[in-house]
């Protein structure tokens, strides 16, 4: 496992809603430093955005994500959900059944 991880430019670690879990951060960072693995500890939302950005640049990255306790949908997320709901349940496709 460490051999694969060492091929990565960076491990993006999403730690849920907040990055203030110092015990986790200290343990993870010391392990990663010992094995010469670069790590970025972020909220999961920020980690997803960072991972996608670096992946789009064809960087060799890995991600480990802890789900957040609360989700903050963007305006675009809400609009897309409403469109999907309308298409699935209100579109008038009932005549096919």
């Amino acid at each position: 496992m460490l051999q694969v991880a060492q091929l990565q430019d960076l491990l993006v670690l999403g730690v849920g809603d907040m990055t203030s879990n110092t015990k986790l951060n200290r343990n993870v960072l010391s392990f990663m430093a010992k094995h010469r693995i670069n790590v970025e500890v972020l909220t999961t939302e920020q980690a997803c955005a960072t991972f996608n950005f670096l992946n789009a640049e064809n960087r060799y990255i890995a991600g480990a994500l802890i789900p957040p306790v609360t989700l903050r949908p963007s305006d675009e997320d809400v609009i897309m959900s409403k469109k999907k709901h309308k298409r699935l349940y209100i579109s008038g496709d009932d005549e096919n059944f």
Side-chain angles (χ1 to χ4, degrees):
M1 177 177 140
L2 290 178
Q3 291 175 341
V4 173
Q6 289 173 345
L7 296 175
Q8 306 301 318
D9 290 337
L10 179 69
L11 169 64
V12 179
L13 179 60
V15 292
D17 291 341
M18 53 188 142
T19 59
S20 64
N21 188 340
T22 55
K23 182 178 179 185
L24 171 70
N25 292 349
R26 239 183 289 126
N27 292 339
V28 169
L29 293 176
S30 65
F31 177 85
M32 296 299 173
K34 178 181 174 184
H35 295 285
R36 298 181 185 186
I37 300 171
N38 297 320
V39 63
E40 183 74 32
V41 180
L42 303 165
T43 65
T44 299
E45 186 175 355
Q46 293 169 331
C48 289
T50 300
F51 180 90
N52 289 334
F53 179 79
L54 294 172
N55 191 44
E57 291 184 336
N58 295 319
R59 301 273 303 270
Y60 294 105
I61 56 171
L65 306 171
I66 298 172
V69 175
T70 58
L71 296 175
R72 295 180 300 268
S74 68
D75 291 338
E76 184 178 340
D77 293 333
V78 172
I79 291 169
M80 293 303 292
S81 292
K82 287 180 180 180
K83 285 181 180 180
K84 286 179 183 179
H85 182 270
K86 183 177 180 180
R87 190 169 54 241
L88 287 171
Y89 299 110
I90 307 174
S91 67
D93 288 338
D94 292 337
E95 64 246 12
N96 293 334
F97 290 106

